[in-house]
């Protein structure tokens, strides 16, 4: 049984430009006192074929955590395009909100993200070099994938 349950993640400013910061309001419930902080991470999956291209956009410690409902805002810079293969930037990818206690991940919430040009001409004829100032991201916030792991609390 998990002592912490994420009850809501509200994605702010969505859809938006690819290079805009991420901002999420995370609400969670704690049912027993915790000795240590919770660690929340936001991870951008840079390539479905190569986990070395994943980027940890932010990692924050939250605590002390009182029993009851808690809420905070997780803000992160966008991914660094220079760390990704150009062919992996356009299209669908994933962001992951992961939470760990004492170094053990107990929940992972994944969202599909679509990176595309809104301009029809750029959609049909993408430029050889990605124009980041015209690229938009849309996080499919209504359909998160939640994975839970049993840990020793």
């Amino acid at each position: 049984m998990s002592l912490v349950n994420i009850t809501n993640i509200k994605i702010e400013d969505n859809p938006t430009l690819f290079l805009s910061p991420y901002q999420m309001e995370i609400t969670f419930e704690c049912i027993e006192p915790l000795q240590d902080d919770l660690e929340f991470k936001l991870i951008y999956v840079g390539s479905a074929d190569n986990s070395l291209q994943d980027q940890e956009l932010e990692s924050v410690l939250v605590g002390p955590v009182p029993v009851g409902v808690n809420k905070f805002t997780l803000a992160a810079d966008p991914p660094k395009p220079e760390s990704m293969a150009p062919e992996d930037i356009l299209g669908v990818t994933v962001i992951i909100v992961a939470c760990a206690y004492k170094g053990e991940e107990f929940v992972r919430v994944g969202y599909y993200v679509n990176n595309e040009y809104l301009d029809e001409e750029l959609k049909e004829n993408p430029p050889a070099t990605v124009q980041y100032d015209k690229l938009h991201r849309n996080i499919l916030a209504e359909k998160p994938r939640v994975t839970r792991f049993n840990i020793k609390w």
Side-chain angles (χ1 to χ4, degrees), residues 100-112:
Y101 181 67
K102 293 186 177 180
E104 291 188 73
E105 186 177 315
F106 64 89
V107 68
R108 181 175 274 227
V109 182
Y111 295 93
Y112 288 109

Side-chain angles (χ1 to χ4, degrees), residues 58-74:
E58 186 61 85
S59 176
V60 296
L61 294 175
V62 176
V65 178
V67 171
V69 176
N70 299 274
K71 186 186 298 190
F72 74 100
T73 298
L74 178 64

Side-chain angles (χ1 to χ4, degrees), residues 65-120:
V65 178
V67 171
V69 176
N70 299 274
K71 186 186 298 190
F72 74 100
T73 298
L74 178 64
D77 288 332
K80 295 176 179 67
E82 63 274 10
S83 298
M84 298 185 290
E87 62 271 13
D88 289 330
I89 294 175
L90 286 173
V92 177
T93 190
V94 173
I95 58 168
I96 298 167
V97 176
C99 189
Y101 181 67
K102 293 186 177 180
E104 291 188 73
E105 186 177 315
F106 64 89
V107 68
R108 181 175 274 227
V109 182
Y111 295 93
Y112 288 109
V113 180
N114 188 33
N115 297 317
E116 67 180 348
Y117 294 110
L118 295 184
D119 179 272
E120 286 301 321

Side-chain angles (χ1 to χ4, degrees), residues 1-5 29-34 65-70:
M1 178 177 91
S2 181
L3 299 184
V4 175
N5 295 304
E29 182 178 25
C30 182
I31 60 173
E32 285 186 24
L34 300 177
V65 178
V67 171
V69 176
N70 299 274

Side-chain angles (χ1 to χ4, degrees), residues 6 8-13 21-28 38-42 57-63 69-77 97 137:
I6 295 177
N8 191 40
I9 298 178
K10 181 180 175 190
I11 311 286
E12 305 286 346
D13 195 22
Y22 285 81
Q23 197 158 299
M24 306 173 171
E25 183 182 84
I26 299 176
T27 306
F28 64 95
L38 296 171
E39 181 182 22
F40 284 85
K41 291 182 182 180
L42 179 61
L57 303 181
E58 186 61 85
S59 176
V60 296
L61 294 175
V62 176
V69 176
N70 299 274
K71 186 186 298 190
F72 74 100
T73 298
L74 178 64
D77 288 332
V97 176
R137 72 166 183 252

